[in-house]
Amino acid sequence: KNMKVKVGTSQFFSVKNNTNENINKALNLAEKANSQNIQIFLLQELFQSQYFCSTQNPKFFDLAISYPNNQIFETFSNFCKTHKMVMPISFFEKKDQNYFNSLVLINSKGNFSEIYRKSHIPDGPGYNEKFYFTPGNTGFKVFETEFGKVGCGICWDQWFPECARTMTLMGADVILYPTAIGSEPDHPDFDTEPLW
């Protein structure tokens, strides 16, 4: 069945060290998207905090949260249900003794998908993600929603063709990749902004 679906994305650069402020900023952007009749809205990767992977510092493990036992999930579930919107939510997940860069999709009824855990973990100047994240163990995911089938990878996943190919073969109507990258002013030799 053919239907028109409006998809919106956001990227906010003035991310604070205050998680509540960042969540409120994300909700304000989602509210604005809703006023523009957007049905599927993508926030950036790990939007609850500043991108901490540019350094290796054990204190940042304190930012990890458990799913679904964190208020953020109820907050965004209520938002999606109230506004009839679909939103993938990227978060730093603590599961048992492992840490993952994860995502859960919330549908327009406020229900949660299975978790997707980032498969490809970069390690290089400014992206010390292997210090923090275990490679994902979920395989690629496509989620059935009221607005079609949504495939979700996370950031560096999009550089690997098998991610998009697999989700397409699984029936994805749209593929989304939340990312924390905007530009790389500290690494002019590694500037991937034009590629993004």
Side-chain angles (χ1 to χ4, degrees):
K1 143 181 167 182
N2 289 332
M3 80 162 84
K4 287 189 177 180
V5 175
K6 197 167 182 184
V7 177
T9 64
S10 73
Q11 191 95 10
F12 55 92
F13 294 104
S14 55
V15 182
K16 309 289 187 200
N17 284 324
N18 184 312
T19 301
N20 289 333
E21 252 184 81
N22 296 326
I23 290 171
N24 287 335
K25 182 177 278 196
L27 288 167
N28 288 337
L29 288 168
E31 194 80 57
K32 184 176 178 184
N34 181 255
S35 72
Q36 297 171 10
N37 301 313
I38 286 170
Q39 295 150 307
I40 301 173
F41 185 58
L42 179 67
L43 291 162
Q44 68 210 42
E45 176 187 23
L46 304 173
F47 65 89
Q48 301 93 357
S49 66
Q50 291 180 323
Y51 181 74
F52 52 86
C53 305
S54 55
T55 61
Q56 294 184 14
N57 189 330
K59 76 175 185 179
F60 291 123
F61 284 101
D62 293 343
L63 295 171
I65 60 176
S66 296
Y67 173 81
N69 306 319
N70 188 280
Q71 180 62 40
I72 186 174
F73 301 110
E74 184 180 345
T75 297
F76 280 94
S77 171
N78 290 337
F79 182 92
C80 289
K81 185 168 31 176
T82 301
H83 295 86
K84 307 291 183 252
M85 185 181 276
V86 169
M87 291 179 69
I89 300 297
S90 166
F91 63 101
F92 184 16
E93 179 190 13
K94 182 178 186 338
K95 174 71 174 168
D96 302 322
Q97 299 305 308
N98 292 307
Y99 293 84
F100 298 98
N101 187 339
S102 300
L103 174 151
V104 66
L105 182 132
I106 305 173
N107 71 15
S108 62
K109 295 179 179 150
N111 299 325
F112 299 102
S113 71
E114 296 177 302
I115 284 182
Y116 169 67
R117 295 182 175 127
K118 186 174 180 176
S119 299
H120 301 95
I121 311 297
D123 191 42
Y127 304 100
N128 298 279
E129 293 195 13
K130 287 186 177 175
F131 181 79
Y132 298 101
F133 307 131
T134 301
N137 58 2
T138 60
F140 302 122
K141 300 281 185 184
V142 172
F143 308 114
E144 187 80 50
T145 78
E146 299 82 338
F147 307 117
K149 293 182 179 179
V150 179
C152 293
I154 300 174
C155 195
W156 210 42
D157 284 334
Q158 71 182 288
W159 295 93
F160 297 85
E162 75 272 12
C163 186
R165 178 171 168 73
T166 300
M167 290 189 285
T168 300
L169 291 171
M170 293 168 73
D173 297 306
V174 63
I175 297 175
L176 302 174
Y177 296 94
T179 179
I181 295 176
S183 63
E184 296 154 297
D186 296 335
H187 303 286
D189 295 338
F190 301 98
D191 187 5
T192 62
E193 184 179 10
L195 300 172
W196 289 103

